[in-house]
C-alpha cells in the first residue's frame, strides 16, 4: 500500500527525520491560508501516488498569493499525468504547501526490502532528484548499496560509512546518521517495504532535509498497523482492483484484450505467458482464489468485463480446493446475468471436472472448451474479433 508524500513526511518527522514545515490543502483558499502562515516563498506540490511530479508540472515554487492561487486552482480536481502514471494519470485532491528550501545539493536515499538477501537494503547516491531507475541505468557506479543485518539493526558505523561515501564532512555526518536511523526505524517499526527520500537535500546553509518522501507498506501487516491502514487513499487506487478485493479476488489490470479468470497466482501467471506465446495480450491478472462459489465467479466476470478493452474471456481452472462444477455454474450464471456477447473459452481440470463439463455443455451457451492450457490460449487468441484492416 502506498501513501501520500505529506503522510510519509508526518510519519518520518516522528522518527526525527528533518522535513520542511508545511500543511495540507484541499482548496485554493486553504492553500493560501497555509502559505500565509508559513510565509512566502512556498512550494506547492500535488499529492498523488506517483513520482515524477516535478517534470509533469505538479510542483511549483510560488512567490506570492496570486501565483499560488492560480496554480492551486489549476491543479485541484484534475488528473496529473507523470512518467510513473498511466495515460489517465492520478486525481489531485490535495496539495502540500511547504516552506521553500534553498537547495545546495540533491542526494538520493532509499530503503527497500531486498527479497534476494531477505534484508533491508539501503541505496544512496550523490546524484539525487533523478529517478532511481534512470540512475541505475545511466550511472550504476554512482549507487552505494548496504545491507542491514536484522540481528544488529543499523549500526552507527554503517551510517557513517554511507555519509562518507556521499562526500559528507563535519556535522553533516551526524545529521546523516539521524536521518538514516529515523528512516530505518520507521521502516522496521511500521512494516514498510520501501522508504525513499529523493531528493535528500543539503541546504545552502548546510542542513540535511528530506525534500520528498515516499513510503510503501506491506499489506499483509496492515492488520497490526491500524494507524498506517488509516492513511489509505482509495481515490488513488485502481477502482477495478478495489471492487475485486471486496469479493476476495486478486485482480491487476493490464493493457491487453484477453480477459483472464484463473485460480491460483501461479496458474494465472502461466496462463498470461501462454497467451503471449500464442501471440495475444492479457487484459488482466485475476486469481479467484480457493473454494470459489458461483457468485464469486460471477463477480470475477463483472470485474474483468468492466475493462472496455476486453474482447474475449478465458476461464482456466485447475481445481484442487476449488470445484469445477461450482466454477462452471458461475460461468453459466455470468453468461446469462451479464448478457455476454463475446467469445468465452473455458478450460476445466481437476475436482468434479466431469460435472463441470456437463454443466457447460447442457447450458447450450456458445462457449468454447479446451483440454489443455496451451489449447485454451490458442483458441482465445484466435477468437478475438479481427480488427478492420
Ligand atoms: P517528484 O518529481 O514527484 O519526485 O517531486 P519532488 O518532491 O522530488 O520535487 C521535484 C523537484 O522539485 C525536486 O527534485 C527539486 O529540484 C524541486 N523542489 C521541490 N521542492 C523544492 C524547494 O523547496 N525548493 C527548490 N528550490 N526546489 C524544490
Ligand atoms: Mn522526488
Amino acid at each position: 500500500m502506498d501513501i501520500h508524500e505529506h503522510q510519509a513526511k508526518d510519519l518520518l518527522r516522528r522518527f526525527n527525520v528533518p522535513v520542511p514545515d508545511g500543511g495540507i490543502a484541499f482548496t485554493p483558499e486553504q492553500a493560501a491560508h497555509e502559505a500565509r502562515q508559513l510565509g512566502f516563498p512556498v512550494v506547492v506540490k500535488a499529492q498523488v501516488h506517483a513520482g515524477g511530479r516535478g517534470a509533469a508540472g505538479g510542483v511549483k515554487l510560488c512567490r506570492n498569493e496570486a501565483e499560488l492561487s492560480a496554480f492551486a486552482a489549476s491543479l485541484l480536481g484534475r488528473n496529473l499525468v507523470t512518467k510513473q502514471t498511466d495515460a489517465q494519470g492520478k486525481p489531485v485532491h490535495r496539495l502540500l504547501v511547504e516552506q521553500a528550501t534553498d537547495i545546495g545539493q540533491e542526494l538520493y536515499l532509499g530503503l527497500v526490502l531486498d527479497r534476494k538477501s531477505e534484508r533491508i537494503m539501503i541505496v544512496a547516491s550523490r546524484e539525487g532528484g533523478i529517478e532511481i531507475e534512470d540512475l541505475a541505468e545511466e550511472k550504476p557506479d554512482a549507487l552505494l548499496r548496504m545491507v542491514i543485518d536484522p540481528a544488529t539493526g543499523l549500526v552507527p558505523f554503517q551510517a557513517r560509512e554511507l555519509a562518507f561515501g556521499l562526500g559528507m564532512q563535519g556535522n553533516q555526518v551526524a545529521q546523516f546518521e539521524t536521518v538514516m536511523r529515523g528512516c530505518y526505524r520507521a521502516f522496521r517499526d511500521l512494516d514498510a517495504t520501501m522508504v525513499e527520500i529523493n531528493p535528500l537535500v543539503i541546504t545552502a546553509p548546510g542542513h540535511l532535509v528530506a525534500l520528498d518522501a515516499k513510503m510503501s507498506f506491506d499489506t499483509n501487516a496492515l492488520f497490526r498497523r491500524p494507524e498506517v491502514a488509516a492513511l489509505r487513499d482509495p481515490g488513488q487506487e485502481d477502482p477495478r482492483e478495489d471492487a475485486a478485493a471486496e469479493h476476495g479476488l486478486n485482480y491487476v489490470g493490464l493493457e491487453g484484450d484477453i480477459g483472464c479468470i484463473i485460480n491460483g497466482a501461479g496458474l494465472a501467471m502461466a496462463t498470461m505467458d501462454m497467451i503471449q506465446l500464442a501471440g495475444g495480450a492479457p487484459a488482466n491478472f485475476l486469481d479467484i482464489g480457493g473454494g470459489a462459489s458461483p457468485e464469486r465467479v460471477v463477480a470475477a466476470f463483472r470485474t474483468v468485463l468492466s475493462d472496455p478493452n476486453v474482447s474475449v474471456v478465458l476461464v482456466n481452472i485447475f481445481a484442487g480446493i476449488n470445484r469445477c462444477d461450482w466454477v462452471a455454474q458461475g460461468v453459466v450464471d455470468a453468461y446469462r446475468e451479464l448478457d455476454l456477447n463475446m467469445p468465452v473459452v473455458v478450460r476445466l481440470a481437476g475436482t468434479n471436472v466431469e460435472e463441470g463439463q456437463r454443466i457447460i455443455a447442457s447450458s447450450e451457451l456458445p462457449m468454447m472448451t479446451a483440454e489443455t492450457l496451451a489449447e485454451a490460449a490458442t483458441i482465445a487468441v484466435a477468437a478475438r474479433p479481427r480488427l478492420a484492416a
Side-chain angles (χ1 to χ4, degrees):
M1 185 190 85
D2 295 334
I3 60 172
H4 287 292
E5 174 196 6
H6 75 95
Q7 296 167 327
K9 283 177 167 169
D10 287 345
L11 292 174
L12 291 171
R13 191 184 275 120
R14 299 204 325 236
F15 290 88
N16 297 322
V17 177
V19 297
D21 285 339
I24 200 75
F26 295 86
T27 65
E29 293 72 28
Q30 287 173 348
H33 176 76
E34 288 296 337
R36 281 193 297 270
Q37 305 255 299
L38 294 163
F40 286 95
V42 293
V43 173
V44 178
K45 310 178 80 176
Q47 297 297 285
V48 291
H49 287 186
R53 297 162 302 165
V59 177
K60 186 175 160 70
L61 182 80
C62 297
R63 285 175 197 80
N64 55 54
E65 198 163 321
E67 208 177 343
L68 173 133
S69 300
F71 183 64
S74 75
L75 261 187
L76 283 165
R78 76 167 169 92
N79 279 19
L80 184 69
V81 179
T82 82
K83 248 181 78 180
Q84 295 185 10
T85 68
D86 59 18
Q88 271 201 307
K90 298 264 184 185
V92 184
H93 292 304
R94 46 181 119 174
L95 303 173
L96 175 59
V97 182
E98 272 185 351
Q99 213 161 50
T101 302
D102 196 358
I103 299 179
Q105 199 188 338
E106 294 186 288
L107 310 169
Y108 177 90
L109 178 64
L111 288 79
V112 287
L113 184 67
D114 178 39
R115 294 184 189 276
K116 208 152 117 200
S117 63
E118 303 175 7
R119 302 268 190 281
I120 295 174
M121 183 188 274
I122 303 173
V123 183
S125 175
R126 290 188 200 211
E127 315 261 349
I130 324 169
E131 278 165 46
I132 184 69
E133 292 82 4
D134 297 338
L135 194 56
E137 201 161 301
E138 288 160 25
K139 297 187 183 169
D141 294 343
L143 292 183
L144 306 172
R145 288 192 178 82
M146 191 173 276
V147 169
I148 308 297
D149 187 329
T152 55
L154 177 76
V155 185
F157 81 78
Q158 292 184 300
R160 282 199 295 278
E161 195 178 313
L162 277 173
F164 295 136
L166 292 170
M168 291 180 184
Q169 293 171 339
N171 79 1
Q172 276 166 15
V173 176
Q175 289 184 54
F176 184 78
E177 274 187 66
T178 304
V179 170
M180 205 54 265
R181 193 176 335 118
C183 289
Y184 176 73
R185 291 237 168 105
F187 190 112
R188 202 196 47 191
D189 292 1
L190 301 174
D191 290 314
T193 52
M194 196 259 296
V195 175
E196 187 185 61
I197 316 259
N198 187 24
L200 171 67
V201 155
I202 304 177
T203 64
H207 302 300
L208 259 61
V209 176
L211 207 61
D212 189 10
K214 201 170 170 183
M215 290 183 81
S216 299
F217 297 90
D218 183 349
T219 44
N220 292 319
L222 287 178
F223 74 94
R224 63 179 188 187
R225 306 281 172 231
E227 56 163 359
V228 172
L231 301 178
R232 185 161 163 243
D233 181 357
Q236 296 291 317
E237 293 165 10
D238 188 332
R240 296 175 300 177
E241 291 176 21
D242 245 29
E246 272 171 31
H247 288 102
L249 303 164
N250 197 349
Y251 176 90
V252 180
L254 300 166
E255 315 274 296
D257 63 344
I258 299 181
C260 297
I261 296 178
I262 325 280
N263 75 299
L267 187 60
M269 288 193 280
T271 306
M272 286 158 52
D273 284 349
M274 292 305 279
I275 289 171
Q276 303 262 12
L277 201 62
N284 63 276
F285 167 99
L286 191 153
D287 172 12
I288 60 168
S293 62
E295 291 76 28
R296 205 196 290 174
V297 175
V298 175
F301 265 91
R302 247 185 247 288
T303 303
V304 166
L305 295 172
S306 68
D307 176 350
N309 291 332
V310 171
S311 63
V312 181
V313 178
L314 196 172
V315 181
N316 183 21
I317 303 296
F318 194 102
I321 301 168
N322 275 302
R323 295 175 44 170
C324 285
D325 52 333
W326 284 15
V327 172
Q329 191 56 54
V331 173
V332 170
D333 291 351
Y335 210 106
R336 297 209 167 105
E337 274 178 45
L338 307 177
D339 223 357
L340 270 184
N341 56 0
M342 65 178 71
V344 175
V345 184
V346 184
R347 183 255 178 162
L348 299 173
T351 309
N352 292 1
V353 63
E354 290 84 9
E355 181 59 10
Q357 280 161 350
R358 193 196 61 73
I359 291 170
I360 299 280
S362 67
S363 75
E364 292 181 8
L365 290 167
M367 285 187 268
M368 290 172 272
T369 55
E371 289 287 321
T372 66
L373 168 50
E375 193 190 342
T378 307
I379 295 176
V381 170
R384 289 181 303 175
R386 291 199 189 282
L387 297 175

